[in-house]
Amino acid sequence: MGKHRKDRTAEEWTIYGNDLLTMMGKKHKLYKEIDGLLIKLKDHKNSISKPTVLHALNSHKNELKDIWRKWTQKIKQTPKDAERTKFYIKDSTFENILKLIGITPEEKKTKEISDNEVFKILIENINSYGINNTKEMYDLMDELKRYDTATSERYSKDNLTDEKRLSRRNK
């Protein structure tokens, strides 16, 4: 199983070596040794040859077992994650956003409104109320809560003052 583990390059050790140390934890028996070798690898004035240090670092791949595997997966995944620009939400969440801004899914299709435009409209609507962050929104809801007794029963169950929504803030 461990014989297929590939040695890592000096560049990978320099960039991602601290991630391995974090994954190992300071209590791991190899932590101090690998930390010292990483310092030597990164030290440009070091008289010990880089290939020797690199070989010493890579020699621990079989001892580290699952930690090594998870670390190498992270090395491969990090550049992929950096290139990602899309994010995904549930269809029901997106439908709720459309409902909030007053657009039906059919209107979105017929008017060819992009997803980016939908989020732009949502942010503009929120900002139009002077809300720039979530804290301000909850502060506004708390302020409106003071006037609950002055409103009719019909309006007191409005989503803006709904107890379920207010309790989510405290989680």
Side-chain angles (χ1 to χ4, degrees):
M1 185 170 155
K3 64 183 176 182
H4 299 295
R5 291 193 175 108
K6 200 173 102 181
D7 285 351
R8 299 287 121 192
T9 64
E11 182 183 5
E12 289 171 321
W13 277 107
T14 304
I15 296 170
Y16 303 106
N18 287 332
D19 291 340
L20 176 65
L21 292 174
T22 302
M23 295 168 95
M24 291 169 59
K26 290 186 177 185
K27 293 184 180 181
H28 195 281
K29 64 182 180 181
L30 294 173
Y31 183 90
K32 288 183 181 178
E33 182 179 345
I34 291 176
D35 187 34
L37 289 169
L38 280 172
I39 291 169
K40 288 179 185 176
L41 184 68
K42 293 175 185 178
D43 184 15
H44 299 290
K45 298 174 186 171
N46 190 0
S47 60
I48 300 173
S49 72
K50 302 281 183 201
T52 306
V53 174
L54 188 59
H55 176 72
L57 285 166
N58 285 321
S59 68
H60 296 298
K61 65 185 172 189
N62 292 327
E63 293 173 79
L64 292 170
K65 299 178 185 174
D66 283 342
I67 297 172
W68 182 274
R69 183 181 53 79
K70 289 176 184 173
W71 178 60
T72 56
Q73 286 173 343
K74 184 172 183 166
I75 290 173
K76 292 175 189 173
Q77 189 63 40
T78 301
K80 292 177 186 176
D81 289 345
E83 291 177 14
R84 286 202 171 108
T85 58
K86 294 184 178 182
F87 71 96
Y88 302 92
I89 59 174
K90 293 181 188 176
D91 288 340
S92 60
T93 304
F94 191 71
E95 288 169 8
N96 286 335
I97 290 171
L98 288 174
K99 192 185 306 181
L100 181 71
I101 63 173
I103 299 175
T104 64
E106 294 78 25
E107 285 178 322
K108 182 184 178 306
K109 285 181 185 176
T110 57
K111 294 181 180 179
E112 297 181 0
I113 301 171
S114 69
D115 293 346
N116 192 41
E117 188 65 24
V118 167
F119 287 106
K120 185 177 174 183
I121 293 168
L122 175 65
I123 297 300
E124 286 172 359
N125 285 333
I126 292 171
N127 284 339
S128 71
Y129 289 105
I131 299 170
N132 298 310
N133 58 49
T134 309
K135 183 187 179 313
E136 288 179 0
M137 181 182 66
Y138 288 122
D139 290 345
L140 177 61
M141 289 175 8
D142 287 341
E143 190 65 28
L144 291 173
K145 187 75 172 160
R146 293 179 21 198
Y147 301 101
D148 261 0
T149 56
T151 60
S152 70
E153 181 63 30
R154 177 176 155 216
Y155 295 110
S156 66
K157 301 236 185 289
D158 186 38
N159 281 338
L160 192 56
T161 58
D162 191 352
E163 285 297 322
K164 289 178 187 174
R165 295 192 189 274
L166 290 174
S167 66
R168 272 194 252 165
R169 171 181 61 157
N170 297 327
K171 288 182 180 179

